[in-house]
Amino acid sequence: MKTRILKKFSAAATGLALLATAACGSPAASSTPSSGTAQPGAAQSENAQSAGYPLTMEHTMGSTTIESAPKRVVALDPSYIDAALLLGADLVGYVQYRQDPKAPFSPYLGDVADATKDSVNVGTLAEPNLEKILELQPDLIVSAKVRHEALYPQLSKIAPTIFSVSTGPTWKENVVFLGEALGKKAKAEELVKAYEDRAQKVGAEILKKKPDATYSLVRFTGGDTARLYSSNSFIGEIMADMRIPRPKTAPDSTEEIFVPLSAEQILQGDAGLVMVSAFTPAGAEGDTARAQQEKFQSNPLWKKLKGDVVAVDDATFLASVSIQGAHAVITDLAKHYGVDPHLP
């Protein structure tokens, strides 16, 4: 059994920045004036942003009318933070989703210092601070029912608020959802398609080199069982977009994002590539996950895994749930297999 470690590649962040730059300059992101007379760029941009408003959006909590193109956005879920940055929104408020307050945004986003220099932390994902949100005077708040259903009545009194049902299983759809609210639906659809095209290209390179490639992802979070991520998960959808299958005999779920595995069942997680991650924040929770991982990996059955066992970054492969995170996953997999990452 071959064991390797996938590192955090600076090239991935650079490539993602290039992808975002290329997409921002694409034709789909601009708008054509309604008259036949050419307009200055600033005026054209303003007209493009104001077109389609007032906009009434139907969403899981009802309907919300957005009077004009949002200029001050508060995102209360990590995937929507990433989506707002991807779409070039003015992200004035965000929830803390990383352990290091000095580095609140994930490395896979590339250099977002300019885009976030005025952004304000409005509390944790579990407990956003409503007073801080109010002080920011947003004109759009975005989150998910699974995250903040109980807060929706209060949030909607602060500013137009839109919720998707969830974030994980619908991460691509949610980019388009936010894009529509921002008046950038065409750009959002283009960015999703660019990701899907790249996933298919890199997947084809991998399958050309290794036609029998299969994958699994096993994660340790503490407790008695490990998590074998299903085809319904973030990594499951990325690999499906790459056309790389799970083993036919692997346990799966179309409802849940993972299947629990005891130490005695760990061979059910075997595959050509066995990705392994652990949720290890500072403190007792991280210590529990590390202890669980050590216990599983010291079990004699672990040594019987036949696949290539690779440690992957938990924050990217599991927690990102975004287009940028998916691009970073693809870049790391391309490096692992030694194929063209298809960066611009």
Side-chain angles (χ1 to χ4, degrees):
M1 178 180 62
K2 182 180 177 184
T3 304
R4 296 177 56 194
I5 303 294
L6 284 185
K7 300 177 181 177
K8 296 178 182 177
F9 300 108
S10 59
T14 303
L16 292 172
L18 287 171
L19 281 166
T21 302
C24 288
S26 61
S30 61
S31 178
T32 305
S34 57
S35 69
T37 305
Q39 299 183 22
Q44 180 176 343
S45 176
E46 186 175 345
N47 288 343
Q49 289 183 357
S50 62
Y53 294 92
L55 170 67
T56 299
M57 289 191 63
E58 302 294 328
H59 56 97
T60 188
M61 303 301 292
S63 65
T64 296
T65 298
I66 304 169
E67 295 296 336
S68 59
K71 299 185 184 301
R72 298 179 61 80
V73 178
V74 169
L76 300 181
D77 179 85
S79 68
Y80 279 122
I81 294 170
D82 288 7
L85 293 171
L86 180 74
L87 295 167
D90 186 358
L91 181 69
V92 296
Y94 63 92
V95 288
Q96 181 177 328
Y97 65 105
R98 285 172 53 78
Q99 293 297 310
D100 185 358
K102 295 181 180 178
F105 300 99
S106 294
Y108 61 74
L109 293 173
D111 184 1
V112 295
D114 284 345
T116 60
K117 66 181 186 300
D118 297 321
S119 302
V120 175
N121 182 328
V122 297
T124 64
L125 177 62
E127 296 182 344
N129 187 313
L130 296 178
E131 290 184 6
K132 282 188 176 181
I133 296 171
L134 179 62
E135 288 172 3
L136 291 173
Q137 297 182 321
D139 45 28
L140 180 68
I141 300 170
V142 61
S143 188
K145 183 177 181 179
V146 71
R147 298 292 196 197
H148 302 117
E149 180 179 9
L151 293 179
Y152 182 81
Q154 295 160 285
L155 291 169
S156 61
K157 290 178 182 177
I158 296 173
T161 301
I162 57 171
F163 276 15
S164 57
V165 175
S166 184
T167 56
T170 57
W171 55 280
K172 288 190 287 187
E173 292 91 333
N174 290 355
V175 173
V176 178
F177 176 65
L178 179 57
E180 182 178 359
L182 296 172
K184 299 180 178 182
K185 185 176 181 181
K187 177 180 178 179
E189 290 173 336
E190 180 181 300
L191 289 166
V192 171
K193 186 177 186 305
Y195 148 74
E196 291 175 336
D197 289 347
R198 181 181 178 230
Q200 189 168 353
K201 287 177 182 177
V202 176
E205 296 262 2
I206 291 170
L207 290 170
K208 182 178 179 181
K209 187 172 184 177
K210 194 173 182 60
D212 60 346
T214 59
Y215 82 93
S216 67
L217 193 152
V218 177
R219 188 190 196 198
F220 298 102
T221 60
D224 296 327
T225 57
R227 296 179 175 185
L228 176 65
Y229 276 74
S230 72
S231 55
N232 192 44
S233 65
F234 177 55
I235 188 65
E237 187 157 4
I238 294 171
M239 301 305 279
D241 288 338
M242 296 178 78
R243 312 293 193 265
I244 298 174
R246 302 170 86 253
K248 292 181 180 179
T249 58
D252 201 1
S253 173
T254 57
E255 303 296 328
E256 304 296 334
I257 63 171
F258 66 85
V259 176
L261 291 183
S262 68
E264 292 71 29
Q265 297 171 315
I266 200 62
L267 292 181
Q268 295 180 26
D270 207 355
L273 173 65
V274 182
M275 295 175 274
V276 180
S277 77
F279 179 62
T280 55
E285 192 174 14
D287 292 341
T288 301
R290 278 185 285 268
Q292 182 199 28
Q293 182 173 10
E294 184 177 348
K295 178 182 177 181
F296 269 68
Q297 293 182 338
S298 63
N299 187 306
L301 287 176
W302 184 270
K303 296 178 175 60
K304 293 186 178 182
L305 290 170
K306 297 177 181 178
D308 192 1
V309 179
V310 177
V312 297
D313 181 48
D314 192 75
T316 304
F317 280 68
L318 276 299
S320 60
V321 197
S322 67
I323 294 291
Q324 298 100 313
H327 274 300
V329 168
I330 293 169
T331 298
D332 282 5
L333 291 173
K335 186 171 183 67
H336 171 74
Y337 285 102
V339 302
D340 183 356
H342 287 276
L343 291 169

